[in-house]
Amino acid sequence: MQDNATEVTAAGIARLAGVGRAAVSNWRRRHADFPRPVGGTETSPAFALAEVEEWLRRHRKLAEVPLKERVWQQLAGHPDGPVTALVHAGCALLLIHERPPVWLDISSGTDERLAALLPTALDEVLTPRVPGTARPGRTDRSRVNGQHPVNTPPAATPANPATPATPAAPATSATPALAIPTAPRLLPSVPLLRGVAELAADRGARPTFEFLLGRHLDANPRQYTLTPPDLAGLMAALAGTPATVLDPSCGTGALLRAVADRPDRRLHAQDSSPELAALTALRLALHTRAPVHAAAGDTLRADAYPGLRADAVLCHPPFNERNWGHDDLAYDPRWEYGFPARTESELAWVQHALARLRDGGTAVLLMPPAVASRRSGRRIRADLLRRGALRAVVALPAGAAPPYSVPLHLWVLRRPDRTHAQPELLLVDAGRFTAEGRGGPDWPGVRETVLDAWGAFDRDGGVEERPGVARSVPVIELLDDDVDLTPARRLPPPADTDGAGRLADVRARLDETLRLTAELAPPPAEPVPSAASGRLPLTTVGELARAGALVMRTGGHGGRARVPVLTDHDVLAGTAPSGTLPESEEEPVLTEPGDVVLPVLGGGAVARVVDEATAGAVLGRNLVLLRPDPAALDAWFLAGFLRGTANHRQASSYASTATRLDVRRLQLPRLAPDEQRRYGERFRALDAFERALREAGRLGEQLVRGMYDGLTDGTIAPD
């Protein structure tokens, strides 16, 4: 059944039809029968999905809207908002996953019957899987897991947590993350739920929810701070295999989802955002058989689990918060190690985590690097060290998590259950695993280095020193005026017993590269006689695509397999694929030898021919791939002419802050194959010369930096 109220934007229409947004704009101008906007704004109109789908079929733009796209558009255009739609879809998927016969029975009748019967069916499934779920008609929702939250009267009745959150003051009471929706609230969602059930029959309930949640997060990247899966896996591995786990700032549940499974596992989650708490509860309930206790509320002001003593706490807290409760919580019993300053919200989260651990329990928190050295926090850091609560500080490579330009830290803490005679702190610096370009770090290297060091330290109380990588430092060495715990400032520099020999090798490689560069330098340019410089007949990339001489594809989808991603930065810098993309259900575009790849943003006149080393990579965002027919077009001829500065200038559009290239407007001459190959060989030689120049520049920078370091640290003599 198609929901006539579902709306879709121009971007959604382009996705449905597999075209660019410019094509949708052209359809609106050229076709008088194109559906009229039914909502949105003048600059971003919205259209009825049913009308758009019918128009696309009538004009043979689309044989059938893919099911996943129809479901997504229904969710995105839900009258109560996408979060409410996603919560309703998650509830239905959990019922389908747990009791498929019940779903088949209640969904066999009318929409009204389904909406009327679904709340009772959800009550039977959600109550045991997500304890504390508010039932239909129940007004007392102030109790979470049988306990009154802080500062919450028993009769408090907050708003429905399934309703999209609006900016407001931090919550002062914790409420259950989920409330079973009533029949009137479910009725507008019934068309969506039927589509979701159909999609789950093909993909499974859990992958369906992950697909819809992933699309929602991708569509709203600025609203959510995500914990990347590799980082979540590392944090969970540092915590071991705990039975009871708490995440007091759960976000989308990535950390709890990464915890190793065990039969007696119990999960506890809380988030100040009601929508995130609800989505996390459903995501975890679909992912695991463990009971999922979830609450919505400001953890520091209104802790939902004051009596909990967990085996482990995993937390990616909000950074640099000033309004965390400093004025309200001065006498809170959680501040065992000192009252945090207003600017030290992260140390408040550290102490909250320790307060919710059993003796000997482990907490792993993601921290901004400034927390390790800010003077306002030095007294608390000192007390954490003296009492043996802080056990390790790990410096992660840049790009591990948002903000990607900052190398964040992991703090590993343990609630003291005995007094350490000579406590030590493990310091690890994994910064050397930062990947070149804008791709993520080398996670296998990070994971192996960090877990090996932590395993040895946790087992033996110390670790063998690895200069520049890991060291266990006696606490007495750290208790100075600053109590600076930044690993890079406490680790000895990397051992380099043969610095001069290494630099000699760099110099030899540079000499060879410079020799090669001289050989590859193009000969002096010979001017073309004016009589022979007549203008060649031109064609455009768009005309060649319509004639079948090449295929044009755009990138941006990661697919389901982990494959290296060729980014626009890689193309501009001439480096290997270094990027990542979030997993998606859309098929990625994979490069093949002979493809020509162009960035469409930034204004640089660059085109790269894919070779055997780059083939098989996923095409990243802001890139266009041209796949020429070898019988009609030479790849190097195509790439060379597309790099012309004047060519790019006439095919680019300019905004106040960016330049965008319309690849279809790029021009190249109409030449016979033999003449194309002549040009192609010359362009190939220029490319080899350019790569040699880049390599010489990199080696030169490495040599200069090595000489500066060697002269300043005493490993190289000045004469």
Side-chain angles (χ1 to χ4, degrees):
M1 174 180 175
Q2 178 65 56
D3 182 7
N4 291 326
T6 301
E7 298 178 3
V8 60
T9 64
I13 297 173
R15 186 188 293 272
L16 289 172
V19 298
R21 293 185 61 176
V24 178
S25 299
N26 288 335
W27 293 343
R28 291 185 63 195
R29 288 194 300 267
R30 294 166 51 193
H31 296 275
D33 62 339
F34 193 87
R36 300 296 180 189
V38 297
T41 64
E42 184 176 349
T43 57
S44 181
F47 306 84
L49 176 60
E51 295 178 7
V52 168
E53 183 179 348
E54 192 277 331
W55 187 89
L56 291 173
R57 287 202 189 96
R58 188 169 67 249
H59 288 263
R60 298 183 179 180
K61 307 290 186 185
L62 186 67
E64 181 65 38
V65 176
L67 175 61
K68 63 181 182 181
E69 290 298 332
R70 184 186 304 118
V71 171
W72 166 248
Q73 296 298 341
Q74 287 176 319
L75 186 146
H78 193 282
D80 292 330
V83 175
T84 296
L86 195 52
V87 170
H88 291 179
C91 290
L93 286 168
L94 186 59
L95 176 62
I96 294 168
H97 181 67
E98 296 280 331
R99 301 183 182 180
V102 175
W103 168 262
L104 291 175
D105 176 48
I106 66 175
S107 64
S108 60
T110 63
D111 289 357
E112 290 74 13
R113 178 177 181 271
L114 173 57
L117 297 178
L118 189 53
T120 302
L122 290 176
D123 188 13
E124 296 175 357
V125 171
L126 281 172
T127 301
R129 299 290 288 109
V130 187
T133 297
R135 297 174 178 175
R138 192 174 83 176
T139 58
D140 180 6
R141 293 170 46 205
S142 64
R143 294 175 65 88
V144 179
N145 302 328
Q147 297 173 325
H148 289 294
V150 180
N151 301 326
T152 308
T157 308
N160 191 325
T163 303
T166 56
T172 56
S173 62
T175 65
L178 280 174
I180 297 174
T182 61
R185 289 186 62 82
L186 282 169
L187 188 58
S189 299
V190 169
L192 167 67
L193 301 186
R194 293 189 186 278
V196 165
E198 188 179 351
L199 193 59
D202 178 50
R203 298 170 175 265
R206 184 186 303 163
T208 297
F209 186 75
E210 290 294 326
F211 161 69
L212 295 174
L213 176 62
R215 285 286 288 267
H216 174 67
L217 297 177
D218 287 345
N220 302 276
R222 297 185 180 180
Q223 295 184 21
Y224 306 101
T225 299
L226 305 181
T227 308
D230 290 306
L231 175 58
L234 174 61
M235 294 175 66
L238 287 168
T241 56
T244 304
V245 191
L246 166 68
D247 185 347
S249 180
C250 62
T252 59
L255 291 174
L256 292 177
R257 189 169 177 262
V259 175
D261 201 3
R262 53 183 289 178
D264 58 343
R265 186 174 67 175
R266 298 182 303 281
L267 303 178
H268 295 75
Q270 183 171 352
D271 200 275
S272 59
S273 166
E275 62 182 55
L276 288 179
L279 295 177
T280 291
L282 291 167
R283 188 183 195 189
L284 295 175
L286 281 163
H287 178 71
T288 177
R289 298 298 306 170
V292 178
H293 304 269
D298 184 339
T299 296
L300 296 181
R301 287 188 174 91
D303 181 15
Y305 312 104
L308 179 66
R309 294 298 177 265
D311 298 316
V313 175
L314 300 175
C315 186
H316 177 174
F319 297 162
N320 303 317
E321 276 199 332
R322 295 298 181 97
N323 185 27
W324 58 267
H326 179 272
D327 296 336
D328 307 325
L329 303 172
Y331 302 102
D332 196 287
R334 288 172 290 183
W335 316 141
E336 293 183 54
Y337 303 88
F339 181 40
R342 189 184 302 276
T343 57
E344 294 287 353
S345 63
E346 296 86 2
L347 291 179
W349 285 97
V350 164
Q351 296 191 74
H352 173 80
L354 286 167
R356 293 297 158 261
L357 285 174
R358 62 165 176 80
D359 289 348
T362 302
V364 185
L365 286 86
L366 186 66
M367 296 274 107
V371 183
S373 59
R374 279 194 298 241
R375 290 190 60 81
S376 55
R378 66 187 186 279
R379 292 181 180 176
I380 294 178
R381 293 197 299 272
D383 208 31
L384 289 169
L385 291 173
R386 289 191 192 98
R387 297 171 60 180
L390 181 57
R391 307 301 296 132
V393 175
V394 177
L396 296 169
Y404 290 108
S405 59
V406 178
L408 301 176
H409 288 180
L410 289 179
W411 281 27
V412 184
L413 304 109
R414 184 158 287 162
R415 185 169 181 83
D417 57 355
R418 59 185 177 86
T419 301
H420 293 264
Q422 292 182 336
E424 295 190 346
L425 177 71
L426 173 66
L427 298 177
V428 181
D429 189 350
R432 65 193 182 108
F433 295 104
T434 301
E436 293 185 5
R438 295 188 299 182
D442 173 14
W443 278 113
V446 173
R447 186 180 177 92
E448 180 181 3
T449 299
V450 173
L451 294 182
D452 283 354
W454 170 249
F457 179 81
D458 193 34
R459 181 181 62 251
D460 305 328
V463 66
E464 183 179 349
E465 183 177 293
R466 296 178 59 190
V469 177
R471 177 192 176 200
S472 53
V473 184
V475 165
I476 193 65
E477 292 186 18
L478 301 169
L479 296 177
D480 52 20
D481 290 341
D482 295 323
V483 197
D484 190 339
L485 308 181
T486 305
R489 295 172 185 162
R490 299 288 183 173
L491 293 173
D496 192 357
T497 58
D498 188 23
R502 179 175 55 83
L503 291 180
D505 179 64
V506 173
R507 175 57 189 265
R509 290 164 54 200
L510 177 59
D511 288 343
E512 176 63 22
T513 304
L514 290 173
R515 183 190 61 78
L516 178 63
T517 303
E519 293 178 359
L520 293 173
E526 294 290 341
V528 177
S530 57
S533 60
R535 184 174 177 84
L536 296 171
L538 299 176
T539 186
T540 65
V541 169
E543 291 173 351
L544 291 171
R546 287 191 292 272
L550 58 82
V551 174
M552 186 165 69
R553 303 288 299 277
T554 57
H557 300 305
R560 305 188 68 175
R562 289 188 175 275
V563 179
V565 176
L566 184 68
T567 68
D568 52 349
H569 182 272
D570 299 331
V571 174
L572 292 168
T575 54
S578 65
T580 58
L581 285 171
E583 292 186 13
S584 66
E585 297 298 321
E586 286 82 357
E587 287 295 324
V589 178
L590 300 180
T591 58
E592 296 180 3
D595 289 344
V596 177
V597 180
L598 302 89
V600 296
L601 293 180
V606 176
R608 177 171 173 178
V609 178
V610 175
D611 55 16
E612 293 290 345
T614 309
V618 172
L619 190 69
R621 295 189 178 101
N622 302 320
L623 290 176
V624 170
L625 179 147
L626 303 178
R627 184 163 294 159
D629 179 356
L633 278 175
D634 179 81
W636 286 101
F637 161 78
L638 174 64
F641 272 97
L642 297 188
R643 289 193 60 169
T645 302
N647 201 2
H648 267 247
R649 188 181 299 119
Q650 65 84 28
S652 296
S653 57
Y654 303 92
S656 58
T657 59
T659 302
R660 186 171 188 88
L661 177 69
D662 184 351
V663 176
R664 291 180 176 273
R665 292 173 55 190
L666 288 171
Q667 299 174 337
L668 62 159
R670 298 179 183 270
L671 295 178
D674 289 343
E675 192 67 10
Q676 289 184 30
R677 284 189 285 273
R678 283 185 58 216
Y679 275 99
E681 288 302 320
R682 189 66 182 271
F683 288 137
R684 187 197 294 265
L686 284 173
D687 180 77
F689 175 62
E690 183 179 37
R691 284 188 282 112
L693 285 175
R694 283 202 189 101
E695 180 65 14
R698 282 193 283 264
L699 289 170
E701 290 178 3
Q702 188 176 348
L703 179 61
V704 169
R705 173 50 52 197
M707 290 295 296
Y708 271 111
D709 290 345
L711 288 167
T712 55
D713 64 22
T715 59
I716 296 177
D719 49 13

